[in-house]
């Protein structure tokens, strides 16, 4: 079985567990238990593998807790960021889960112990609250302790039965990758089935590939990469997948306002083997309480912020003096914070870097404050490219979104517009960008060559004369795919058809007259 086949089989089994075990619990609520169990198994096996150090004579899961010395524990936490005693490992809990009358409370104690093991260490903020959404006492699992334990046991047993990375026997090469892919598979499937609430925090992999390549284009190294609306971390992780590890010199940074999603992002980092000292995730409102001000600027920024979300805007008079928004001289509308995220990203961007941001199309042509912000961005030559994508690429919305590429190192005063609305492949309920589509877009982005009906670079004066309208359709003429009709030929065919109809009527009249004459 190839890795691709195994991955497909693994995903099928995971989805089967998620659907069969949850029972009457809403899938969107139950996702935390499936994802959390996957994460619990991963960190258990990852930690045991670290302790064993490749020595086949050591079986960490079989050891007694009391043989673990304080020095071993201290060294492990400094390296891995957390500690798990042998008795707390997933494998040891799962094997007796069916017969454990205290399963739900035992799990709660274990999760609390794993989190508190980091207290006082540099990893504490990265570990604290990781299992907060894995509530083993919730009535969502059942009304009685027996019901809760039955469902928890079924999830543990199901996840324990999944096979990871055995086809080549390389734990580090395969198991971690498959864990991460399985995790993203679950998130994306829940996003698909949950509608908008799911799509808010998950950017489809095909779009993520494009965004990351746009942000890191022509950069041999980037100091660090940042997502101001990180969601589950899928965009940041795409950078790790697509580029060699050494290209990103420092850390992966992200801020997320939703606590559940923030926990997902941190779990996702661990699952993709990014250690606690290589990522920095913050919980909070990026627009009002931005983090990482001391860590900027960033060479690469990627983001899919919420579309047209409300914010306090002009109701807070201090915001106009904020260094992120002050240069534009106006705040994004209170009912549409899109450009607030754009200006925030621009403020955090380095002089050599690029930012690629998914945007709602309306911000590119509406008037008022948004027009003034567009004027600021264009007049200061910060917009490199605007790309219009095909509809239905994102979970939970059919909107044909745009990608805005910001830059502080342009060598000319042109802005590129690309109409990629025809680049998609239909798959199940959504469209996707293929690798060929992405390669075509990146070639156009790289060369800046005008292509009829597809790409055009426009001078600043032209955009200014057009009231700073940045809609792609304002500059790239859509191809007329209507069939060309030869009017002369059509008229001749119509004349022939009319003549035939007239002759047919004459023939019918003659037949009717003959019949009526015979009857008389």
């Amino acid at each position: 079985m190839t890795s691709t086949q195994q991955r497909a089989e693994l995903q099928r089994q995971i989805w089967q567990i998620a659907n069969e075990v949850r029972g009457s619990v809403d899938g969107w609520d139950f996702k935390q238990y499936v994802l959390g169990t996957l994460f619990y198994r991963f960190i258990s096996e990852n930690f045991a593998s670290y302790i064993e150090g490749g020595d086949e004579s050591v079986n960490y899961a079989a050891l007694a807790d009391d043989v673990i010395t304080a020095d071993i524990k201290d060294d492990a936490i400094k390296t891995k960021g957390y500690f798990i005693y042998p008795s707390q490992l997933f494998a040891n809990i799962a094997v007796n889960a069916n017969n454990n009358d205290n399963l739900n409370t035992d799990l709660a104690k274990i999760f609390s112990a794993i989190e508190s093991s980091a207290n006082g260490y540099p990893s504490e903020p990265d570990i604290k609250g990781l299992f907060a959404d894995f509530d083993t006492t919730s009535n969502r699992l059942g009304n009685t302790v027996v019901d809760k334990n039955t469902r928890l046991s079924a999830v543990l047993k199901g996840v324990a039965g999944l096979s990871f990375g055995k086809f080549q026997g390389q734990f580090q090469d395969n198991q971690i990758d498959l864990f991460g892919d399985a995790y993203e598979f679950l998130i994306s499937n829940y996003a698909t089935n949950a509608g908008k609430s799911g799509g808010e925090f998950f950017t489809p992999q095909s779009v993520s590939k494009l965004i990351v390549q746009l942000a890191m284009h022509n950069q041999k190294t980037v100091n660090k990469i940042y997502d101001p609306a990180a969601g589950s971390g899928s965009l940041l992780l795409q950078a790790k997948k697509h580029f060699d590890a050494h290209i990103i010199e420092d850390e992966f940074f992200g801020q997320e306002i939703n606590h559940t999603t923030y926990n997902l992002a941190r779990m996702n980092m661990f699952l993709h083997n990014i250690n606690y000292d290589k990522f920095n995730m913050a919980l909070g409102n990026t627009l009002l309480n931005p983090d990482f001000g001391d860590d900027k600027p960033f060479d690469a920024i990627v983001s899919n912020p919420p579309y047209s979300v409300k914010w306090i805007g002009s109701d807070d008079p201090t915001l106009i003096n904020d260094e992120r928004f002050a240069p534009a001289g106006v705040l994004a509308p209170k009912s549409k914070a899109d450009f607030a995220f754009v200006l925030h990203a621009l403020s955090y961007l380095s002089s050599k870097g690029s930012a690629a941001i998914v945007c709602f199309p309306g911000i590119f042509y509406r008037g008022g404050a948004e027009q003034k912000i567009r004027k600021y961005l264009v007049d200061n030559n910060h917009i490199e490219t605007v790309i219009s994508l095909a509809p239905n690429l994102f979970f939970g919305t059919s909107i044909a979104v745009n990608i805005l590429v910001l830059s502080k190192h342009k060598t000319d005063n042109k802005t590129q517009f690309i109409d990629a609305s025809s680049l998609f492949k239909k798959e199940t309920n959504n469209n996707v960008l293929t690798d060929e589509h992405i390669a075509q877009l990146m070639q156009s982005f790289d060369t800046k060559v005008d292509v009829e009906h597809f790409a055009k670079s426009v001078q600043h004066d032209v955009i200014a004369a057009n009231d700073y309208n940045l809609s792609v359709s304002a500059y790239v003429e859509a191809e007329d795919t209507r069939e060309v009709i030869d009017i002369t030929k059509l008229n001749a065919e119509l004349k022939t058809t009319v003549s035939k109809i007239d002759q047919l009527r004459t023939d019918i009249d003659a037949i009717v007259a003959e019949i009526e004459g015979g009857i008389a």
Side-chain angles (χ1 to χ4, degrees):
M1 183 181 291
T2 67
S3 60
T4 302
Q5 290 171 328
Q6 184 176 14
R7 184 174 288 108
E9 174 61 17
L10 178 65
Q11 293 173 346
R12 184 194 66 77
Q13 293 178 43
I14 289 175
W15 195 238
Q16 184 175 336
I17 293 170
N19 283 318
E20 289 183 357
V21 176
R22 70 180 176 87
S24 61
V25 185
D26 181 79
W28 186 241
D29 292 330
F30 194 65
K31 75 181 186 302
Q32 295 306 128
Y33 298 100
V34 183
L35 295 174
T37 304
L38 268 175
F39 179 68
Y40 175 35
R41 177 180 166 181
F42 169 79
I43 62 170
S44 293
E45 296 183 9
N46 185 269
F47 187 82
S49 178
Y50 162 74
I51 295 292
E52 292 164 1
D55 187 344
E56 294 183 0
S57 67
V58 179
N59 180 4
Y60 184 65
L63 297 178
D65 289 356
D66 57 12
V67 305
I68 307 300
T69 66
D71 287 341
I72 291 175
K73 183 176 181 180
D74 182 66
D75 288 342
I77 298 173
K78 287 177 179 176
T79 302
K80 299 301 294 180
Y82 57 92
F83 191 85
I84 306 177
Y85 280 101
S87 66
Q88 299 171 332
L89 292 171
F90 170 86
N92 287 334
I93 298 300
V95 70
N96 296 313
N98 288 339
N99 304 314
N100 186 352
D101 294 336
N102 302 310
L103 179 62
N104 68 326
T105 54
D106 284 352
L107 283 173
K109 291 176 183 177
I110 290 171
F111 297 156
S112 176
I114 294 173
E115 290 181 10
S116 62
S117 69
N119 289 351
Y121 288 85
S123 59
E124 180 177 352
D126 300 306
I127 305 298
K128 186 177 181 180
L130 266 177
F131 291 97
D133 294 296
F134 199 134
D135 185 358
T136 61
T137 63
S138 171
N139 286 333
R140 290 183 298 179
L141 290 170
N143 293 323
T144 68
V145 172
V146 173
D147 289 341
K148 292 178 176 66
N149 287 342
T150 298
R151 186 155 282 144
L152 286 169
S153 173
V155 177
L156 289 170
K157 290 291 186 181
V159 171
L162 298 174
S163 176
F164 291 96
K166 294 182 179 179
F167 60 95
Q168 290 179 345
Q170 298 292 321
F171 179 90
Q172 293 296 329
D173 291 341
N174 298 311
Q175 183 156 348
I176 291 172
D177 178 58
L178 288 173
F179 258 119
D181 285 348
Y183 193 78
E184 285 193 9
F185 165 78
L186 257 182
I187 292 177
S188 65
N189 271 271
Y190 276 121
T192 302
N193 286 272
K196 185 177 180 182
S197 60
E200 283 177 353
F201 69 83
F202 188 83
T203 305
Q205 193 173 95
S206 65
V207 182
S208 296
K209 287 180 182 179
L210 174 62
I211 293 171
V212 167
Q213 291 184 49
L214 289 167
M216 299 180 69
H217 180 64
N218 277 344
Q219 298 198 67
K220 293 182 179 179
T221 62
V222 299
N223 61 352
K224 46 209 165 187
I225 187 167
Y226 168 59
D227 186 343
S232 60
S234 56
L235 275 170
L236 293 173
L237 290 167
Q238 190 59 235
K240 178 181 182 293
K241 286 184 176 182
H242 189 78
F243 293 91
D244 293 336
H246 70 273
I247 291 180
I248 300 173
E249 296 174 330
D250 202 344
E251 300 176 38
F252 297 79
F253 290 79
Q255 184 163 352
E256 171 57 35
I257 193 171
N258 181 283
H259 192 277
T260 296
T261 312
Y262 160 71
N263 283 339
L264 285 177
R266 290 191 296 162
M267 287 183 181
N268 222 352
M269 293 292 144
F270 282 110
L271 282 165
H272 285 83
N273 209 29
I274 300 177
N275 210 37
Y276 77 91
D277 57 343
K278 296 299 292 181
F279 73 83
N280 198 334
M281 300 297 299
L283 176 65
N285 187 320
T286 298
L287 299 182
L288 302 183
N289 299 296
D291 216 311
F292 311 125
D294 294 335
D295 297 290
K296 65 179 184 180
F298 297 89
D299 288 344
I301 297 177
V302 292
S303 193
N304 178 19
Y307 310 144
S308 300
V309 69
K310 294 179 181 179
W311 76 310
I312 193 170
S314 58
D315 283 348
D316 181 351
T318 66
L319 283 174
I320 194 61
N321 298 317
D322 189 302
E323 64 178 359
R324 298 169 297 165
F325 311 128
V330 64
L331 296 172
K334 290 186 292 183
S335 60
K336 304 174 183 69
D338 308 71
F339 265 128
F341 283 103
V342 170
L343 291 173
H344 169 87
L346 181 66
S347 174
Y348 274 47
L349 187 63
S350 75
S351 59
K352 71 181 273 290
S354 296
I357 307 168
V358 180
C359 296
F360 184 78
I363 71 169
F364 293 103
Y365 60 79
R366 290 190 295 241
E370 291 178 319
Q371 182 188 38
K372 293 177 181 177
I373 295 173
R374 293 196 303 271
K375 181 179 187 301
Y376 160 74
L377 293 171
V378 173
D379 286 350
N380 287 274
N381 209 25
H382 290 317
I383 298 182
E384 182 169 358
T385 301
V386 181
I387 303 172
S388 63
L389 297 179
N392 208 33
L393 288 170
F394 287 76
F395 302 116
T397 179
S398 60
I399 297 171
V401 300
N402 291 4
I403 296 178
L404 173 66
V405 182
L406 299 175
S407 170
K408 291 183 177 179
H409 54 83
K410 287 173 63 180
T411 57
D412 60 30
N413 65 348
K414 292 182 178 180
T415 298
Q416 183 188 36
F417 297 88
I418 299 177
D419 182 357
S421 59
S422 64
L423 300 185
F424 67 90
K425 178 184 178 184
K426 181 70 175 177
E427 284 191 3
T428 60
N429 295 326
N430 283 86
N431 295 327
V432 297
L433 289 170
T434 65
D435 288 343
E436 290 74 20
H437 293 149
I438 294 172
Q440 182 180 348
L441 280 164
M442 289 307 302
Q443 181 183 25
S444 182
F445 178 74
D446 178 60
T447 63
K448 298 294 189 292
V449 173
D450 289 354
V451 178
E452 190 176 13
H453 308 305
F454 184 71
K456 186 174 183 180
S457 292
V458 182
Q459 292 282 358
H460 166 271
D461 292 347
V462 175
I463 297 174
N466 198 20
D467 294 328
Y468 294 93
N469 185 335
L470 294 178
S471 296
V472 173
S473 59
Y475 305 99
V476 180
E477 183 181 358
E479 184 176 4
D480 189 347
T481 57
R482 293 175 299 177
E483 182 183 355
V484 177
I485 298 174
D486 187 332
I487 298 299
T488 302
K489 181 180 178 182
L490 180 61
N491 282 334
E493 290 175 351
L494 286 172
K495 187 178 294 185
T496 300
T497 301
V498 170
S499 177
K500 288 180 179 179
I501 292 173
D502 288 342
Q503 182 60 50
L504 185 59
R505 284 174 175 166
T506 300
D507 294 342
I508 292 172
D509 288 344
I511 293 170
V512 171
E514 183 177 344
I515 292 172
E516 289 177 344
I519 293 175

